[in-house]
């Protein structure tokens, strides 16, 4: 049976370290979250992020704007937050309404306040290996691998999904740690042939239980990023019950990558705040 990687436990220990560091600072780090519209899942995620800020004594604020807000109005808000001293990190909750150009908004966040590392400047920094903070979910994944004591160097990593949010940056971070990386996506032929070679398999697709036991290598480490609602339940991209019998370690959904994303958001906010606070 596989080791079940406990994201909640690792996230808790990250929060404890952040909370201790905050005690030593002259003012609390500040995070501003912008939510456009009232998508229920986004509201839950934003509420969790704010609760986490309270847990570590950060200053936090949520700016909830209407579904129909104009691009300019959001840009004005970002400009105001860029100039607020008590705000060290700004996060645009995704997804944004169709008429909004989310990347253009993220690109107006000062790179030094771009807490999810998703601006063109920071993504470019990741590409060339010069970065201050890296995207929260991919960074959380690397931390999970470190926490289970996996030596990433030389391993074959297969990333399914090539989004800017998860797939592409996690592949870059794995390559930075000297993994040999393969990207797969919706046009990949013979997906199972690729996934069966993976020592580390990252699935960031959003299709319930698409990764079956026939698609994994025995002893692989499986990171399931997918979040899919099936009836009342949340499930990942991986057929957990079947796959856990074969592999060496696997993240559950919920309780794997999700809590790590939130913990790294706190860590990134702290990292951006430290130079401002001294
Ligand atoms: P996304 O932008 O929709 O990207 C999905 C990727 O999956 C695309 O690259 C797509 O390929 C690929 N794909 C779709 N169908 C496929 C198939 N049949 N075979 C292989 N690849 C396929 O999604 P995302 O934002 O990266 O998120 C992915 C999942 O992770 C979602 O379930 C999301 O909710 C979850 N998520 C979780 C967290 C967390 O903290 N746990 C954070 C972010 C996202 P193409 O590029 O060819 O279209």
């Amino acid at each position: 049976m596989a080791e079940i990687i406990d994201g909640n436990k690792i996230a808790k220990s990250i929060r404890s370290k952040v909370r201790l560091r905050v005690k030593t600072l002259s003012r609390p780090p500040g995070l501003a979250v912008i939510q456009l519209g009232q998508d229920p899942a986004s509201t839950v995620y934003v509420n969790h992020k704010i609760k986490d800020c309270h847990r570590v004594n950060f200053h936090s604020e949520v700016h909830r704007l209407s579904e129909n807000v104009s691009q300019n109005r959001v840009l004005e808000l970002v400009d105001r937050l860029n100039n607020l001293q008590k705000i060290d990190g700004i996060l645009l909750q995704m997804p944004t309404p169709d008429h909004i150009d989310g990347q253009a908004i993220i690109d107006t966040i000062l790179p030094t306040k771009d807490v999810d590392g998703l601006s063109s400047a920071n993504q470019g920094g990741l590409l060339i290996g010069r970065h201050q903070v890296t995207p929260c979910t991919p960074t959380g994944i690397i931390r999970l691998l470190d926490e289970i004591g996996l030596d990433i160097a030389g391993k074959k990593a297969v990333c399914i999904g090539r989004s800017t949010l998860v797939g592409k940056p996690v592949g870059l971070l794995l390559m930075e740690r000297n993994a040999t990386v393969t990207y797969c996506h919706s046009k990949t032929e013979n997906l199972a042939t690729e996934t069966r070679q993976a020592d580390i398999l990252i699935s960031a697709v959003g299709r319930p239980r698409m990764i079956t036991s026939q698609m994994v290598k025995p002893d692989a480490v499986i990171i399931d990023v997918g979040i899919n609602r099936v009836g009342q339940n949340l499930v990942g991209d991986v057929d957990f019950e079947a796959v856990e019998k074969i592999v060496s370690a696997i993240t559950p959904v919920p309780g794997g990558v999700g809590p790590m994303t939130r913990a790294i958001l706190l860590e990134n906010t702290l990292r951006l705040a430290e130079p401002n606070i001294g």
Side-chain angles (χ1 to χ4, degrees), residues 152-188:
I152 297 171
K155 297 287 186 303
K156 182 162 174 52
V158 173
C159 306
I160 319 176
R162 54 176 165 180
S163 70
T164 314
L165 188 63
V166 189
K168 276 184 198 153
V170 79
L172 290 172
L173 288 174
L174 286 162
M175 189 159 53
E176 197 172 88
R177 296 286 297 272
N178 297 317
T180 302
V181 177
T182 300
Y183 284 102
C184 298
H185 45 74
S186 67
K187 305 292 185 290
T188 299

Side-chain angles (χ1 to χ4, degrees), residues 3 27 34 61 71 85 109 133 162 165 190 195 202 206 215 234 256 260 270:
E3 172 185 355
R27 72 155 170 87
I34 303 172
E61 36 191 85
Q71 179 91 7
Q85 212 191 351
I109 298 173
V133 295
R162 54 176 165 180
L165 188 63
N190 303 320
T195 58
I202 317 271
M215 295 173 74
L234 285 185
M260 293 301 291
L270 176 64

Side-chain angles (χ1 to χ4, degrees), residues 45 137 160-167 184-188 191 203-207 210 224-228 237 257-258 261:
Y45 293 143
T137 301
I160 319 176
R162 54 176 165 180
S163 70
T164 314
L165 188 63
V166 189
C184 298
H185 45 74
S186 67
K187 305 292 185 290
T188 299
L191 181 64
S203 185
V205 176
R207 293 188 58 177
M210 71 172 271
D224 190 352
V225 188
I227 302 175
N228 308 288
D237 291 346
V257 175
T261 297

Side-chain angles (χ1 to χ4, degrees), residues 11-270:
K12 192 172 173 194
S13 110
I14 292 173
R15 280 198 303 274
S16 299
K17 287 186 190 131
V18 170
R19 195 167 42 239
L20 281 178
R21 176 72 181 128
V22 170
K23 280 189 182 157
T24 68
L25 300 175
S26 58
R27 72 155 170 87
L31 175 70
V33 181
I34 303 172
Q35 184 185 348
L36 309 182
Q38 294 180 336
D39 171 58
S42 292
T43 302
V44 169
Y45 293 143
V46 169
N47 289 345
H48 277 140
K49 287 166 185 170
I50 297 304
K51 188 172 156 202
D52 285 345
C53 284
H54 293 156
R55 284 166 147 168
V56 298
N57 300 321
F58 279 8
H59 166 74
S60 61
E61 36 191 85
V62 188
H63 297 266
R64 288 199 166 95
L65 304 181
S66 105
E67 175 89 31
N68 304 318
V69 67
S70 69
Q71 179 91 7
N72 272 346
R73 179 81 216 290
V74 189
L75 292 176
E76 279 164 22
L77 171 62
V78 170
D79 187 47
R80 195 154 55 78
L81 295 170
N82 276 340
N83 290 300
L84 266 188
Q85 212 191 351
K86 63 181 174 181
I87 297 298
D88 303 289
I90 304 171
L91 181 85
L92 177 66
Q93 181 66 38
M94 301 301 247
T96 53
D98 289 346
H99 69 284
I100 294 287
D101 181 347
Q103 188 62 47
I105 291 169
I106 291 170
D107 283 345
T108 62
I109 298 173
L110 285 175
T112 49
K113 293 197 178 192
D114 169 28
V115 72
D116 207 2
L118 291 175
S119 63
S120 301
N122 281 330
Q123 294 261 11
L126 177 57
L127 197 65
I128 60 171
R130 287 191 191 176
H131 42 73
Q132 188 179 13
V133 295
T134 47
C136 296
T137 301
T139 307
I141 291 169
I142 301 294
R143 189 67 66 81
L144 286 175
L145 297 174
D146 285 341
E147 286 288 333
I148 62 167
L150 185 80
D151 183 8
I152 297 171
K155 297 287 186 303
K156 182 162 174 52
V158 173
C159 306
I160 319 176
R162 54 176 165 180
S163 70
T164 314
L165 188 63
V166 189
K168 276 184 198 153
V170 79
L172 290 172
L173 288 174
L174 286 162
M175 189 159 53
E176 197 172 88
R177 296 286 297 272
N178 297 317
T180 302
V181 177
T182 300
Y183 284 102
C184 298
H185 45 74
S186 67
K187 305 292 185 290
T188 299
E189 292 181 3
N190 303 320
L191 181 64
T193 308
E194 302 296 337
T195 58
R196 273 198 294 265
Q197 292 178 48
D199 302 309
I200 304 167
L201 179 62
I202 317 271
S203 185
V205 176
R207 293 188 58 177
R209 300 189 183 110
M210 71 172 271
I211 307 299
T212 65
S213 55
Q214 284 80 46
M215 295 173 74
V216 299
K217 176 174 157 180
D219 291 336
V221 173
I222 311 290
I223 305 292
D224 190 352
V225 188
I227 302 175
N228 308 288
R229 188 163 286 285
V230 176
Q232 298 295 327
N233 299 322
L234 285 185
V235 300
D237 291 346
V238 178
D239 181 353
F240 184 88
E241 285 75 21
V243 169
E244 72 154 336
K245 296 188 176 79
I246 301 169
V247 299
S248 67
I250 183 168
T251 56
V253 177
V257 175
M260 293 301 291
T261 297
R262 287 162 45 196
I264 300 296
L265 177 64
L266 298 175
E267 219 179 57
N268 279 358
T269 306
L270 176 64

